[in-house]
Amino acid sequence: MKILQSQLYYKGSLNLAFVCLGCLSFFSPFAKAQEQIKKESTSVNNFNNPLIQLTQKQVCPSAKLLTKRIFETVKYYIYICKGDETNPLGYYVQFSKNSGWKITLPVSNQVDEAYFAKNNGVIYTVTPYELVITKFTKRSSVVLREKVNHAIAADGQSLARGCPTGHTSFVEAATKNYIVYICGKQTPDTYVAITKNGNNIITLPLQLNYNSSQKTEDSEYIAVKGKTHYLLNRKILKVSRDGRNLVKEKVLYWH
C-alpha cells in the first residue's frame, strides 16, 4: 500500500513538474512578445517624432556625411551635415514642410552655433533661435525671418540657451541681433541676453526698481553691470554706458 502511495505521489509530482515546465514554455514566449511589443511601441513613438524621422532619412549629399545639427521652424527643417574634403565646413540642407522643396548648399561660414550659406546673392543664416534669409542686390533685404522652435545636436541635446535651470521664462524677446529672456522663479529677477550669431550670453540680476506690470506688454526691465545699463521693453532693447547708446534695436517679437 505504501509502495502504491509512493508511486502515486511520484507520478503526481512528475505531472506537476511537466505542468510547470509547460507554464514556463507558455509564458516565456509571452514575455518575449511583450518585450518586443514594448520595443516596437517605443520605436513607433520615436519614429513619430519629426526630428527623429528626419535623422532616419538620407538628407545629406552623401551617406558618409552624417547630420550634426537639426533646426525646426514653423515652415522648415534645416540640417547641418558634416563636411568633406570639398567643403570642410559642411553642408546646409533646407526642407519645406509643405511643398517638399529642398536646397543643399555648402556652409560658407560658422560662428559658434550660427551657420551661413550663400546662393546667387542670397544668404541663409540659421542659429538655435532664428532662421533668416537675406537677399543682397543694391542693398540687403530680409526675405524671410522665422523663429527656430527646436534646435538639437546629433545626440539629441538642445542647442538653445535660455533661463537658468529651475527658472521660468516670463518674457522672451527678439531683436535683430539678440534674444533676451526675463527669468525668475516666482517673480522676474534675472536678465539673460544671447547674441544670435555667436551664442554669447550675459546673465544679470534685474534692478529692484524695474517697472513690472500685470500685462507684460507694458513692463520695462532694467539690469546694470558697472557703468553699463540694459533696458528692455515691448518696443526696444537698449544698452547704454555713460549716457551713450551701445545698442539700440527694435523688438521684433515679444512672448
Side-chain angles (χ1 to χ4, degrees), residues 130-132 142 144-147 172-180 196 217 232-237 249-255:
E130 198 171 50
L131 167 66
V132 180
V142 174
L144 174 77
R145 185 189 297 272
E146 282 193 4
K147 179 184 176 183
E172 178 184 348
T175 68
K176 180 181 178 181
N177 295 301
Y178 298 92
I179 299 287
V180 181
K196 289 180 179 178
E217 297 282 328
L232 175 72
N233 59 41
R234 178 63 185 85
K235 296 181 179 180
I236 196 166
L237 167 67
E249 294 188 0
K250 179 182 178 181
V251 171
L252 302 175
Y253 73 77
W254 176 283
H255 176 70

Side-chain angles (χ1 to χ4, degrees), residues 154-203:
D155 59 2
Q157 294 297 311
S158 175
L159 300 173
R161 303 166 69 182
C163 291
T165 303
H167 283 62
T168 297
S169 173
F170 289 89
V171 173
E172 178 184 348
T175 68
K176 180 181 178 181
N177 295 301
Y178 298 92
I179 299 287
V180 181
Y181 297 92
I182 301 300
C183 310
K185 292 187 176 179
Q186 306 213 349
T187 59
D189 58 26
T190 305
Y191 171 99
V192 179
I194 304 165
T195 56
K196 289 180 179 178
N197 289 350
N199 218 22
N200 296 319
I201 187 169
I202 183 169
T203 303

